[in-house]
Amino acid sequence: MSHPPSPRPNAVVAVLAFAGIVVSLMQTLVIPIVPELPKLLDAPASDTAWAVTATLLAAAVATPVMGRLGDMYGKRRMLLVSVVMLIGGSVVCGLSDSLVPMIVGRVLQGLASGVIPLGISIMRDELPAERLGSATALMSASLGIGGALGLPAAALIADNFDWHVLFWTSAAMGVVALVCVVLFVPESRVRSGGRFDLVGGIGMAAGLVCLLLAISKGADWGWTSGTTIGLCLAAVVILLAWGWWELRADQPLVDLRTTARRQVLVTNLASIAVGFAMFAMSLVLPQLLQLPAQTGYGLGRSMLVAGLCLAPSGLVMMATAPVSAAISRARGPKVTLMIGVLIVAVGYGLNIVLMSQVWHFVLVACVIGAGIGFAYGSMPALIMSAVPASETAAANSLNTLMRSLGTSTASAVAGVILAQMTTDLGGYALPSENGFKVVLAVGAGAALLAFVVASFIPRQGPATPGEPVAREAAEPAGATAE
């Protein structure tokens, strides 16, 4: 595939970050219309919930698979495939008026989630060393930026236009991203070649689907139901068998020996806790802002106002990317990660005592957003300094998957807490103020757990990601260049 002979760093960074933000919008795109979906699609609420769950499951499967395919056959090529699936899914949803096409479209949108780790990997291969730190920090943070900016935009569209416009808007943004990638992003010259591990791909997909189904639907099915317990047991058995296969495969989907390196393993474990901590904010703040004022703790605001209160956190994440990179250069990305999760914990602590005014929530969202920006910005540097260049996309994809496991777990845990701690308002059971405070405390605890886990990352000097000598030394003999 042809590509520009000399990539322009500013254009490459801008285009890849935009593509990352567009893809991350998919998670919050349907939130404003979720309560209306049963009426809009003429289906029970338990079925329309799959419009959210299907995207989550598809993303979990696609992220590591697309990363591996990118390492093998070209990261830009897989990036373009991902964006095309995003556009296709958006068009299908835009044309849908019933449940099945909506779920099909949402699955296609979820399959595009490999864009962010692929973008980080392209940056490693194409950008000069002095630009790499801030660029990958911005690309990594785009996962949170898109979510924060997407909620108010989606609420605005849903309030003023037909709900299909949500998906036509995402399709249009996808087309813009596609054209920009074609024009400005070069194909990475680093490839591993080889044959795709189909058995490993099927095994990992089956294990992840069982695990995430149990986590995301356990509250609906009952945590002690046969279905939930059966899925958990199936996930354990399948993933153990998958691990056995990967350790014996000549060209595994995930090189478990690389992921078992202390730096990669501990970073991924910390990522689960960070993903958990980040998502608690997205669950609690909008609910507190929208609950009726008669509760004594709700502020009775609209979904649009709630989204606008969270939007500044996305801008803060964007602004902290260069700061995160500067700290990583000076002190190492381990220090940046630990600073970030401490800031997140402080943000949740603030929210426990400040939850009576709109500006309280804007302040808390900005503090937590700053912490997430630092933490997410440090993770690609930690991963990339510990893996060969030919495995960058697969390793970054696995790290992104770990964050997703954290967010899925946060959703389940918060759902259990808020369902158990309720108050009565006019005959309706609503989550109690103490229930929200417990979820906030759990979010702070997850951030502190991430701090403790991150302390076990091997001690490092200042980050110098992308240094040519380091790249060559890390690159295995089997890697090929275009």
Side-chain angles (χ1 to χ4, degrees), residues 3 7 14 61 69 71 82 104 117 134 140 148 167 194 199 271-272 381 385 425 471:
H3 56 78
V61 172
L69 290 172
D71 283 334
S82 297
V104 170
S134 59
S140 182
F167 298 102
V199 173
S271 299
I272 297 174
S385 62
L425 182 69
R471 281 189 198 170

Side-chain angles (χ1 to χ4, degrees), residues 168-217:
W168 293 116
T169 302
S170 69
M173 294 177 70
V175 170
V176 172
L178 182 71
V179 171
C180 289
V181 170
V182 170
L183 293 178
F184 298 110
V185 177
E187 178 60 274
S188 169
R189 294 179 292 277
V190 181
R191 296 187 187 179
S192 62
R195 187 173 56 191
F196 182 72
D197 177 16
L198 182 61
V199 173
I202 294 172
M204 188 192 63
L208 286 174
V209 167
C210 289
L211 177 63
L212 289 171
L213 262 182
I215 292 173
S216 60
K217 304 294 284 185

Side-chain angles (χ1 to χ4, degrees), residues 62-85:
T63 301
V65 169
M66 295 304 285
R68 179 63 180 144
L69 290 172
D71 283 334
M72 293 172 64
Y73 303 121
K75 302 177 183 78
R76 176 179 183 259
R77 180 177 297 168
M78 291 302 112
L79 185 71
L80 290 169
V81 170
S82 297
V83 177
V84 167
M85 286 193 288

Side-chain angles (χ1 to χ4, degrees), residues 283-342:
L283 291 167
V284 172
L285 270 62
Q287 288 194 64
L288 282 170
L289 283 160
Q290 292 178 84
L291 279 173
Q294 296 93 311
T295 59
Y297 51 90
L299 299 187
R301 306 290 175 159
S302 66
M303 171 70 79
L304 177 58
V305 171
L308 289 172
C309 288
L310 292 182
S313 69
L315 301 177
V316 170
M317 288 181 206
M318 199 178 297
T320 53
V323 183
S324 166
I327 295 174
S328 293
R329 281 196 300 271
R331 302 298 301 275
K334 172 183 175 178
V335 173
T336 311
L337 175 57
M338 296 176 77
I339 291 172
V341 293
L342 279 183

Side-chain angles (χ1 to χ4, degrees), residues 53-229:
T53 307
T55 307
L56 169 73
L57 298 178
V61 172
T63 301
V65 169
M66 295 304 285
R68 179 63 180 144
L69 290 172
D71 283 334
M72 293 172 64
Y73 303 121
K75 302 177 183 78
R76 176 179 183 259
R77 180 177 297 168
M78 291 302 112
L79 185 71
L80 290 169
V81 170
S82 297
V83 177
V84 167
M85 286 193 288
L86 168 69
I87 297 168
S90 300
V91 169
V92 171
C93 289
L95 294 171
S96 68
D97 283 305
S98 59
L99 183 63
V100 172
M102 170 66 95
I103 291 175
V104 170
R106 291 291 288 163
V107 166
L108 287 171
Q109 287 184 325
L111 292 176
S113 63
V115 162
I116 291 174
L118 287 168
I120 292 171
S121 305
I122 291 172
M123 288 174 174
R124 181 189 192 184
D125 295 340
E126 301 300 329
L127 295 182
E130 65 273 9
R131 290 297 309 277
L132 186 58
S134 59
T136 56
L138 176 62
M139 188 72 198
S140 182
S142 68
L143 189 65
I145 294 168
L149 299 181
L151 188 58
L156 183 65
I157 292 172
D159 285 347
N160 294 282
F161 301 96
D162 179 77
W163 64 276
H164 293 91
V165 175
L166 285 169
F167 298 102
W168 293 116
T169 302
S170 69
M173 294 177 70
V175 170
V176 172
L178 182 71
V179 171
C180 289
V181 170
V182 170
L183 293 178
F184 298 110
V185 177
E187 178 60 274
S188 169
R189 294 179 292 277
V190 181
R191 296 187 187 179
S192 62
R195 187 173 56 191
F196 182 72
D197 177 16
L198 182 61
V199 173
I202 294 172
M204 188 192 63
L208 286 174
V209 167
C210 289
L211 177 63
L212 289 171
L213 262 182
I215 292 173
S216 60
K217 304 294 284 185
D220 295 334
W221 295 337
W223 292 106
T224 57
S225 70
T227 304
T228 304
I229 293 173

